[in-house]
Amino acid sequence: MPDASARKPLILISNDDGITAPGIAVLVRVMRRLGEVVVVAPDSPQSGMGHAITIGHPLRLDPSRVFADEGIEAYECSGTPADCVKLAKHMVLKDRNPDLVVSGINHGSNSSVNVLYSGTMSAAIEAAIEGLPAIGFSLCDYGHEADFSHVEEWVEHLTRQALAHGIPTGTALNINIPKKQEQPILGTRLCRQARAKWQEEFDLRHDPHRRPYYWLIGNFVNEDQGEDTDEWALANNYISVVPCQFDLTAHYGLAQLNESWDLTLGDQPPRRPTQPHTPYIGSATPTDPRPE
């Protein structure tokens, strides 16, 4: 009788740059060394889609031969990264739960506030919603011809850690890797998300018919001076690892609003919670993220 412990882990791969992107090819090459791989990825780039899902028109899911030479089962989807994970779980894998879902490797950083816009991380967070351990990998190089040669050993090492030790329930890891430099990567830092944002501008332009249109531009500004953030780690040539959750409740805000707001109307008696709030399973103890 075969030893059940010898079963290869089932690893689902997706991304947001599309199934033909160089980054996902690197991820496939690494993951096939670690387990059985199934790919379900968008048929075209979906960067910046956030956690969008397709509800207004049909979804297409077709077999793909992009990784046929490697013997990898792969599908291309007409929808978003979140759509890909949903279809993978319910239609491709059906009654098989993957041991790990990995998304990427994204072309460009998904640190700090970028995680909210990221299609790469939406695939990982969708997996976490489904109760599956998940990682989103990103390389801080936006070029299509980005150099991934320094990332493979780190991606393999961190994935082995996830397979061996698990990922907290309801959590997806947001892992960003510095761009290739002369100096080797110094190591990995477990971080919090930095308080940073885009200072956006809209460049007014005109098409050949003189009709106005706008092009979004801007600068990324890090307002956080902490040395425990993803932005600090990346700026100092470390890989950043940020545990993310889909419970967006501002727990410190609950306490503040309960103390200061009157939520009654007319002669209704004031109401106060009689029991302390219990955070979502798998979430860390709520803390106040505001600056001192």
Side-chain angles (χ1 to χ4, degrees):
M1 185 174 181
D3 183 1
S5 65
R7 180 185 67 86
K8 287 186 175 181
L10 176 60
I11 301 174
L12 172 65
I13 296 177
S14 192
N15 76 343
D16 75 350
D17 289 315
I19 197 166
T20 61
I24 197 172
V26 176
L27 202 55
V28 168
R29 185 162 62 245
V30 174
M31 294 303 141
R32 67 193 296 250
R33 299 198 289 260
L34 305 180
E36 177 188 355
V37 171
V38 175
V39 176
V40 181
D43 60 9
S44 59
Q46 297 286 322
S47 294
M49 290 299 293
H51 211 99
I53 57 173
T54 302
I55 58 175
H57 54 270
L59 282 169
R60 308 290 181 186
L61 184 67
D62 298 310
S64 172
R65 294 191 54 80
V66 171
F67 303 107
D69 290 345
E70 292 93 335
I72 301 296
E73 181 182 359
Y75 301 85
E76 51 189 66
C77 173
S78 63
T80 66
D83 289 328
C84 290
V85 173
K86 288 178 179 292
L87 283 170
K89 176 176 171 58
H90 296 289
M91 304 307 298
V92 176
L93 300 176
K94 296 182 179 177
D95 57 350
R96 302 174 65 202
N97 268 344
D99 297 284
L100 184 65
V101 179
V102 291
S103 182
I105 300 170
N106 189 65
H107 292 245
S109 171
N110 278 317
S111 61
S112 185
V113 72
N114 295 305
V115 70
L116 295 176
Y117 308 114
S118 167
T120 298
M121 280 304 297
S122 78
I125 291 173
E126 181 63 35
I129 292 172
E130 295 283 359
L132 304 172
I135 304 174
F137 287 103
S138 301
L139 174 66
C140 299
D141 187 335
Y142 290 91
H144 185 77
E145 301 299 328
D147 187 348
F148 288 88
S149 61
H150 65 303
V151 309
E152 289 197 27
E153 61 178 352
W154 286 104
V155 169
E156 180 172 346
H157 172 69
L158 293 168
T159 303
R160 287 188 184 277
Q161 291 295 303
L163 290 170
H165 304 293
I167 294 173
T169 303
T171 302
L173 301 184
N174 182 17
I175 297 180
N176 284 270
I177 303 172
K179 182 178 180 179
K180 181 72 176 289
Q181 303 177 41
E182 290 185 9
Q183 181 185 25
I185 289 173
L186 296 178
T188 303
R189 290 288 184 98
L190 190 62
C191 308
R192 64 176 172 87
Q193 177 181 317
R195 292 184 300 273
K197 65 180 182 180
W198 287 93
Q199 287 186 341
E200 294 163 338
E201 299 177 17
F202 287 91
D203 187 17
L204 173 61
R205 304 179 184 184
H206 294 84
D207 67 17
H209 300 283
R210 303 303 302 162
R211 292 175 300 190
Y213 68 94
Y214 299 90
W215 198 265
L216 177 61
I217 59 176
N219 297 306
F220 187 69
V221 178
N222 182 14
E223 301 173 338
D224 199 320
Q225 301 304 310
E227 296 185 2
D228 59 342
T229 71
D230 50 6
E231 290 296 333
W232 185 94
L234 293 166
N236 287 275
N237 205 25
Y238 288 93
I239 295 171
S240 65
V241 181
V242 178
C244 299
Q245 63 182 28
F246 51 86
D247 176 4
L248 299 181
T249 306
H251 294 282
Y252 71 92
L254 284 175
Q256 181 178 331
L257 293 173
N258 271 320
E259 289 297 323
S260 60
W261 280 41
D262 180 2
L263 300 178
T264 62
L265 182 64
D267 296 330
Q268 294 176 335
R271 302 182 65 180
R272 290 284 186 262
T274 57
Q275 294 181 351
H277 172 68
T278 301
Y280 177 81
I281 183 172
S283 67
T285 302
T287 57
D288 188 340
R290 297 169 297 179
E292 297 294 334

